[in-house]
DNA sequence: AGATAAGCGGGGACTGTCTCCGTTTAACCC
DNA sequence: GGGTTAAACGGAGACAGTCCCCGCTTATCT
């Protein structure tokens, strides 16, 4: 489903450059980075940017899908190496680190787990929810995680932990600490 | 230290109207509400707004100090009615509810507990930290709360819980649930 | 090479922020 | 009351960002 017809060569070139520049810009200035500026730095007009990516959200998502999907794949790797409970904790840790370090990703992951918006069906949202579901269900089967909790709730809570850690501003030192508080609370 | 010289009558009038309108606007449109629009709705020029409140943050704070201080006072009321551990939990609940319901307050409370910015010394930051400290220390003395946790960390974690609850979008139903997860994790 | 439609890009309308400075007016003194 | 003065006002305008529109360019196919 990537594309019914292959893109024209120039379109493809511009698309790729925009993505590359956007990832840098969002990482540097956060999700509020100037879109016209991204267009300029990619050497295209703003019209081109808005045609490829109608909203800021769309660009944000496109710029980080690969990273998100890597995180999804990472869930399965970790699941092979550690017992379910620890695997979940470790994956959440990596998720939080990513959320904080790559500045633009916070907004993206946040909207991916927001209830009630139409953003629920984005590619990266699906990927995250899938990964979370596998780890959560395994941990519940093992008996190290409460049964009265849904995968998406775990993602939301992890987002909360990221927010709290960000406030502490200690270059991520707090993440493990705060996350362990959460996992303690999540035991049966 | 309210004011060395009393304000001129017109200045005081404008100041008050701005505050009233600002509280409404922030509640309605969130922290991003248009400042020029607030000025217009208050019937003053934008210059007047910016003279009284040099930054968005300043206006936000001025608009909600009374609410914040009420929350500070509430801490002591609750402390009289409930044993320390429960008192802390109840106060955090009210704090989270306020954070979510009054849209503009989230940004304000967030920056109040952010480490490393100069915003640390704001009036409402001090008020919150004081209230948190009293409840946290009481609970620790009682033995229902870990000793290796600081008051400000509790505030940051509560902010995280608010964020997570907000994502769930269930009109605050999740708050108790998510908060109890946190308090479970915070037990010794 | 020529036809054609996909794609480009930047000008411009619009919204919001924030400052500057000429004008107004409250407060004080006689 | 009337005059003086400094505090306060207000809105024009410079600037930055978003986003759309439409005449021009160019990749692709024959």
């Amino acid at each position: 489903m990537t594309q019914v017809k292959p893109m024209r060569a120039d379109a493809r070139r511009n698309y790729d450059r925009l993505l590359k520049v956007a990832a840098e810009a969002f990482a540097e200035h956060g999700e509020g980075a100037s879109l016209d500026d991204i267009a300029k730095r990619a050497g295209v007009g703003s019209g081109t940017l808005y045609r490829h990516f109608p909203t800021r959200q769309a660009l944000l998502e496109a710029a980080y899908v690969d990273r998100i999907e890597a995180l999804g794949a990472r869930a399965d790797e970790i699941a092979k190496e550690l017992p379910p409970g620890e695997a979940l904790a470790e994956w959440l840790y990596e998720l939080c680190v990513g959320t904080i370090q790559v500045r633009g990703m916070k907004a993206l992951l946040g909207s991916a787990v927001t209830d009630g918006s139409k953003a629920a069906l984005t590619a990266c949202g699906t990927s995250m929810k899938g990964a979370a579901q596998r780890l959560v269900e395994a941990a519940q089967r093992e008996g190290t995680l409460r049964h009265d909790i849904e995968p998406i709730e775990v993602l939301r809570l992890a987002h909360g932990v990221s927010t709290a850690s960000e406030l502490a501003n200690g270059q991520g030192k707090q993440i493990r600490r705060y996350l362990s508080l959460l996992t303690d609370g999540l035991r049966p």
Side-chain angles (χ1 to χ4, degrees), chain A:
Chain A
M1 60 144 274
T2 327
Q3 196 75 20
V4 178
K5 250 186 175 178
M7 280 174 108
R8 236 172 73 167
D10 53 348
R12 161 109 253 140
R13 208 165 37 238
N14 285 330
Y15 185 94
D16 289 342
R17 301 198 60 195
L18 278 169
L19 239 45
K20 186 167 162 287
V21 171
E24 288 168 16
F26 285 135
E28 186 175 354
H29 302 114
E31 65 155 333
S34 162
L35 296 186
D36 273 30
D37 193 56
I38 289 175
K40 202 160 291 171
R41 282 210 254 168
V44 305
S46 47
T48 300
L49 187 154
Y50 287 102
R51 188 158 1 82
H52 283 306
F53 310 102
T55 65
R56 178 180 295 273
Q57 202 52 227
L59 179 55
L60 208 45
E61 172 155 1
Y64 290 124
V65 250
D66 51 352
R67 220 178 264 263
I68 300 278
E69 288 187 346
L71 217 42
R74 189 74 186 116
D76 299 323
E77 276 180 48
I78 298 176
K80 276 182 210 140
E81 293 166 12
L82 295 172
E86 289 172 43
L88 177 61
E90 177 57 23
W91 185 69
L92 290 179
Y93 175 70
E94 294 188 12
L95 174 61
C96 288
V97 169
T99 305
I100 291 179
Q101 280 184 350
V102 186
R103 299 193 46 198
M105 256 172 60
K106 181 147 195 266
L108 178 56
L109 290 169
S111 82
V113 295
T114 301
D115 185 47
S117 93
K118 61 272 167 184
L121 26 83
T122 58
C124 69
T126 317
S127 173
M128 283 293 95
K129 281 174 221 159
Q133 184 163 17
R134 277 169 271 146
L135 292 172
V136 163
E137 287 179 355
Q140 285 172 336
R141 251 179 274 122
E142 184 199 35
T144 46
L145 181 70
R146 293 189 182 196
H147 283 267
D148 62 348
I149 190 120
E150 310 248 331
I152 195 166
E153 290 186 292
V154 175
L155 290 176
R156 287 183 192 135
L157 288 163
H159 198 82
V161 168
S162 298
T163 304
S165 306
E166 208 174 27
L167 294 172
N169 214 359
Q171 279 84 43
K173 271 190 189 171
Q174 328 299 89
I175 301 180
R176 284 234 191 259
R177 210 167 128 62
Y178 290 173
L179 201 55
S180 76
L181 250 40
L182 173 64
T183 48
D184 280 4
L186 285 176
R187 260 189 266 282

